[in-house]
């Protein structure tokens, strides 16, 4: 994996950095600091993923697999609402200690695997009804300002955005037993794993972006639907958003930060994911050197290994063994594991034991909290089948480009690159850069000339210049509408409707209007790639994005003459550290401090 410099950019790997070397505040994790010597030291008996005193040395993975019916440790449910949702910020000690570090890393894969398991269950109607009772449902968005759904494409297909969350709740005896830290039982849970899964409108590709849990973000005003408590807007680490009324506030925070409308969420706290890895026969992973991290108990030889059980647990929770010893490296390892698991399932790995399948389905549905829009097993089953349509080679995992905040105690989105990643999602452009050719196909058969004189073409101009990192520029819609009027588009008007699309686009509703939209684009100097067919508009609609905050002529980067430059604009930046789903050669780079 790539090593990152202190400003969030790529740097050459010339030494064996520790988290402290990188300026990362180890108190964020409450793990033991990385060793200062060349040899790793032994971990404490209370380290992550290991039972506390009195646990008789029983491994977490084994206990979870042995009793999936009682593996509800992470269920938020209404018992957790009472003791798990508190107001205000938490101190470092409350932010989560070593005992629950491993569980955080498992939740994202549990969500995806739960969907795949449900999609292959093939059980009868009565069994589905039974599983429905296991699911916990919650409101999708608790904020006051909810984004409109994404516009459908020319064929009426709509992209889908699903927020995957992992809670570190301690709101049950079982969760305390599995995760330890009894003192945290009454602490409001944190959303320590957050991934946005974007499925393209035509279901040809999927892009997944992780956000580090310590990203500083604006958490908007949220209202808890159960007790009516109002949490005022604040600025804090994004994982604390779960404490402001539940997962619906984390959804509101993501929409505020990214400008991406979230269609669904799934939240899980599920130790039994290890037994899922066993059920599919293990997952192949690769390391570029022998690795031994005593704190996570990960010990693998150089090359590819098939991991299951406790080894899978160790892989998903290790941090010091990879990269710079922060959550950034761990996210990369999670992406690699997730891709390998999907490949295993798509290659024909089957869960054929009915008893094991039922046990996994029971445990998965008991652990899931979902929004009410997908609050039934049938809807999850359909969703799972929808996701299965995406080819493995078109699945791309990435991490939000980031940089350290002052003092290194948190990270913030890296201004230009993070905006670019979110812009690709907003515009339904794949991270892998393979959409361009498809988008150009068949253009010769579409209208290129205006259907009527400029003065008769209705044009709506909207201001979408605001992003999570910068406020909107006032007056932009009026200025550009005036420019169009001066150049002959006398029916151009400024639309003051709040607009969340923070990217410059020209959309048209009917095929015969494409020539009209192209005429507007040519007048303002916009490239043809920004002209899009959408059934979500009534007339030619220009949205002025954050990429055009000043002037009356569009500042197209790269002058449009460089094919490479255009291609770069249509894929995730290098700082997102993207990993393709079919990359079987990817290996995690091992920190030399943790070799053997």
């Amino acid at each position: 994996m790539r090593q990152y410099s202190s400003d969030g950019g790529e740097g050459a790997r010339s030494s064996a950095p520790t988290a402290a070397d990188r300026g990362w505040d180890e108190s964020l994790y409450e793990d033991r600091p990385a060793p200062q010597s060349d040899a790793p030291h032994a971990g404490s008996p209370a380290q992550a993923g290991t039972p506390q005193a009195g646990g008789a040395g029983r491994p977490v993975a084994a206990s979870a697999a042995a009793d999936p019916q009682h593996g509800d440790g992470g269920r938020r449910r209404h018992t957790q609402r009472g003791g798990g949702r508190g107001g205000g910020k938490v101190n470092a000690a409350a932010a989560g200690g070593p005992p629950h570090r491993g569980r955080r890393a498992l939740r994202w894969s549990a969500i995806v695997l739960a969907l795949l398991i449900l999609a292959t269950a093939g059980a009868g109607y009565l069994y589905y009804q039974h599983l429905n009772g296991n699911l916990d449902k919650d409101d999708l968005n608790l904020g006051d300002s909810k984004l409109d759904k994404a516009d459908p494409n020319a064929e009426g297909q709509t992209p889908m955005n699903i927020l995957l969350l992992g809670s570190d709740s301690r709101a049950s005896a079982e969760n305390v037993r599995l995760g330890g830290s009894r003192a945290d039982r009454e602490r409001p849970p944190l959303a320590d794993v957050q991934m946005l899964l974007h499925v393209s409108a035509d279901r040809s590709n999927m892009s997944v972006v992780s956000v580090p849990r310590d990203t500083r973000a604006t958490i908007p005003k949220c209202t808890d639907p159960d007790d009516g408590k109002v949490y005022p807007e604040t600025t804090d680490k994004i994982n604390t958003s779960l404490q402001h009324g539940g997962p619906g506030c984390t959804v509101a925070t993501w929409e505020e930060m990214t400008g991406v409308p979230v269609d669904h969420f799934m939240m899980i706290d599920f130790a039994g994911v290890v037994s899922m890895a066993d059920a599919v026969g293990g997952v192949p992973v690769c390391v570029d050197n022998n690795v031994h991290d005593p704190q996570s108990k990960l010990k693998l030889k150089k090359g590819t290994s098939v991991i299951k059980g406790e080894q899978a647990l160790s892989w998903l929770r290790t941090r010091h063994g990879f990269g710079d010893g922060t959550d950034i490296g761990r996210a990369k390892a999670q992406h690699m594991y997730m891709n390998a698991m999907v490949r295993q399932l798509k290659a024909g790995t089957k869960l054929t034991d009915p008893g094991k399948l039922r046990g996994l389905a029971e445990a998965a549905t008991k652990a899931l909290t979902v929004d009410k829009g997908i609050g039934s097993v049938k809807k999850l089953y359909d969703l799972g089948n929808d996701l299965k349509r995406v080819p493995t080679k078109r699945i791309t995992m990435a991490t939000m480009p980031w940089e350290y905040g002052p003092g290194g105690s948190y990270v913030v989105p890296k201004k230009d690159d993070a905006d670019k990643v979110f812009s690709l999602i907003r515009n339904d452009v794949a991270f892998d850069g393979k959409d361009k050719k498809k988008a150009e196909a068949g253009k010769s058969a579409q209208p290129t000339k205006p259907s009527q004189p400029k003065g008769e073409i209705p044009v709506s101009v909207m201001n979408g210049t605001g992003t999570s990192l910068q406020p909107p520029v006032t007056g932009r819609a009026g200025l550009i509408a005036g420019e169009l009027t001066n150049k002959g588009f006398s029916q151009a008007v400024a639309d003051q409707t709040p607009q969340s699309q923070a990217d410059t686009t020209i959309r048209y509703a009917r095929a015969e209007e494409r020539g009209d939209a192209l005429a507007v684009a040519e007048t303002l100097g916009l490239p043809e790639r920004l002209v899009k067919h959408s059934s979500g508009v009534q007339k030619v609609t220009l949205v002025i994005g954050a990429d055009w905050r000043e002037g009356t002529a569009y500042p197209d980067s790269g002058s449009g003459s460089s094919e490479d430059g255009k291609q770069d604009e249509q894929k995730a930046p290098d700082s997102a550290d993207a990993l393709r789903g079919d990359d079987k050669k990817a290996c995690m780079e091992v920190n030399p401090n943790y070799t053997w």
Side-chain angles (χ1 to χ4, degrees):
M1 67 168 286
R2 296 177 175 88
Q3 302 295 314
Y4 291 90
S5 61
S6 61
D7 64 355
E10 272 185 68
R13 178 180 173 182
S14 58
S15 61
T18 65
D21 293 334
R22 293 294 190 185
W24 196 271
D25 183 358
E26 284 282 325
S27 67
L28 297 175
Y29 304 94
E30 295 189 353
D31 298 332
R32 289 184 176 275
Q36 301 303 310
S37 64
D38 289 338
H41 59 76
S44 147
Q47 60 187 303
T50 307
Q52 299 295 303
R58 188 183 184 196
V60 171
S63 64
D67 194 8
Q69 302 294 333
H70 296 84
D72 70 335
R75 291 180 76 193
R76 195 178 48 73
R77 293 206 178 273
H78 296 289
T79 56
Q80 181 171 332
R81 287 182 184 274
R85 287 185 175 182
K89 300 180 181 179
V90 294
N91 58 30
H100 65 276
R101 186 161 45 100
R103 290 177 53 73
R104 290 185 196 134
L106 293 177
R107 293 162 198 128
W108 59 265
S109 55
I111 291 171
V112 176
L113 291 174
L115 286 176
L116 293 167
I117 287 169
L118 292 172
T120 57
Y125 175 77
L126 291 179
Y127 184 58
Y128 282 136
Q129 289 297 94
H130 164 72
L131 293 178
N132 280 341
N134 291 342
L135 287 169
D136 194 13
K137 278 80 71 175
D138 213 331
D139 290 352
L140 175 62
N141 190 318
L142 303 183
D144 289 345
S145 300
K146 302 174 179 64
L147 299 182
D148 295 333
K149 300 297 183 183
D151 287 335
N153 63 13
E155 287 73 36
Q157 302 165 314
T158 305
M160 180 169 51
N161 299 305
I162 305 171
L163 187 60
L164 310 181
L165 302 174
S167 160
D168 72 348
S169 169
R170 292 294 191 281
S172 71
E174 180 70 0
N175 206 22
V176 169
R177 183 180 70 81
L178 292 174
S181 191
R182 287 180 171 80
D184 280 344
R185 177 152 188 172
E186 299 303 318
R187 172 180 60 76
L190 300 164
D192 277 346
V193 176
Q194 301 187 26
M195 291 184 179
L196 184 69
L197 188 155
H198 172 81
V199 189
S200 66
D202 61 5
R203 303 303 186 255
S204 68
N205 65 83
M206 182 189 303
S207 298
V208 181
V209 59
S210 296
V211 165
R213 66 173 191 165
D214 297 304
T215 299
R216 178 159 290 188
T218 297
I219 302 174
K221 172 187 172 185
C222 290
T223 303
D224 190 317
D226 291 341
D227 58 16
K229 182 173 181 177
V230 176
Y231 296 84
E233 179 179 308
T234 187
T235 300
D236 205 345
K237 293 172 183 175
I238 197 168
N239 66 343
T240 66
S241 59
L242 187 61
Q243 300 176 333
H244 293 227
C249 194
T250 305
V251 168
T253 302
W254 268 78
E255 290 197 349
E256 175 83 14
M257 180 177 72
T258 67
V260 175
V262 177
D263 300 296
H264 301 293
F265 77 78
M266 289 184 285
M267 183 173 71
I268 198 164
D269 187 354
F270 187 46
V273 68
V274 175
S275 62
M276 293 182 183
D278 290 340
V280 298
V283 177
V285 296
C286 178
V287 290
D288 71 350
N289 205 341
N290 294 346
V291 60
H292 182 206
D293 178 5
Q295 296 186 21
S296 69
K297 297 185 178 179
L298 178 68
K299 187 173 184 179
L300 295 174
K301 291 182 179 180
K302 177 180 178 179
T304 300
S305 301
V306 176
I307 59 174
K308 61 173 74 173
E310 289 185 69
Q311 278 189 319
L313 174 69
S314 296
W315 176 275
L316 293 169
R317 73 181 175 91
T318 195
R319 174 161 65 80
H320 293 124
F322 298 142
D324 58 6
T326 72
D327 264 357
I328 309 301
R330 179 156 53 188
K332 180 77 170 185
Q334 293 170 0
H335 293 163
M336 190 177 294
Y337 182 93
M338 188 173 177
N339 279 340
M341 176 68 80
V342 171
R343 288 197 301 269
Q344 287 287 94
L345 292 168
K346 284 183 171 288
T349 301
K350 296 181 179 178
L351 299 169
T352 55
D353 184 331
K356 182 176 290 187
L357 184 58
R358 282 195 298 272
L360 290 171
E362 289 280 350
T365 52
K366 284 182 177 180
L368 278 173
T369 298
V370 299
D371 68 276
K372 295 174 182 177
I374 50 172
S376 73
V377 172
K378 175 62 169 61
K379 291 178 180 178
L380 289 174
Y381 175 85
D382 292 341
L383 179 59
N385 281 332
D386 213 18
L387 297 179
K388 284 164 60 179
R389 293 167 53 191
V390 180
T392 304
K393 64 182 180 181
R394 297 300 311 279
I395 298 174
T396 308
M397 308 270 177
T399 300
M400 178 195 75
W402 57 274
E403 57 191 4
Y404 289 109
S409 62
Y410 60 88
V411 300
V412 295
K414 190 174 184 181
K415 185 177 178 181
D416 294 331
D417 287 1
D419 266 344
K420 184 174 180 180
V421 165
F422 299 139
S423 175
L424 291 175
I425 295 176
R426 288 191 295 262
N427 286 294
D428 196 23
V429 177
F431 283 178
D432 61 11
K434 294 186 175 181
D435 280 349
K436 186 173 181 292
K437 189 178 219 179
K438 180 185 71 174
E440 289 181 344
K443 279 187 178 179
S444 59
Q446 299 175 7
T448 58
K449 301 296 183 183
S451 64
Q452 52 193 324
K454 288 183 179 181
E456 298 178 13
I457 299 175
V459 182
S460 177
V461 184
M462 307 180 77
N463 185 353
T465 54
T467 71
S468 61
L469 302 179
Q470 49 192 348
V473 178
T474 58
R476 289 294 291 158
L479 177 65
I480 300 304
E483 178 69 8
L484 284 172
T485 299
N486 293 337
K487 293 191 175 183
F489 290 89
S490 57
Q491 294 194 44
V493 295
D495 186 339
Q496 302 303 324
T497 304
Q499 178 57 241
S500 62
Q501 167 112 16
D503 310 279
T504 298
T505 57
I506 299 180
R507 294 174 288 170
Y508 60 94
R510 295 176 294 279
E512 58 268 24
E513 293 177 340
R514 182 170 183 269
D516 300 345
L518 288 173
V520 173
E522 183 179 2
T523 298
L524 296 172
L526 273 70
E528 187 175 345
R529 61 183 167 79
L530 300 182
V531 177
K532 304 176 185 295
H533 186 178
S534 170
S535 59
V537 297
Q538 300 299 316
K539 54 185 166 184
V540 175
T541 301
L542 166 63
V543 178
I544 308 161
D547 52 351
W548 190 13
R549 295 175 64 84
E550 60 184 10
T552 56
Y554 181 72
D556 187 21
S557 59
S559 74
S561 60
S562 168
E563 186 65 23
D564 290 340
K566 284 187 176 181
Q567 184 69 12
D568 287 344
E569 291 179 358
Q570 295 293 89
K571 68 176 182 180
D574 289 343
S575 57
D577 207 8
L579 179 68
R580 279 178 35 173
D582 64 345
D583 187 353
K584 298 179 182 179
K585 296 181 180 180
C587 270
M588 289 301 299
E589 291 186 10
V590 176
N591 189 322
N593 287 337
Y594 289 87
T595 60
W596 59 281

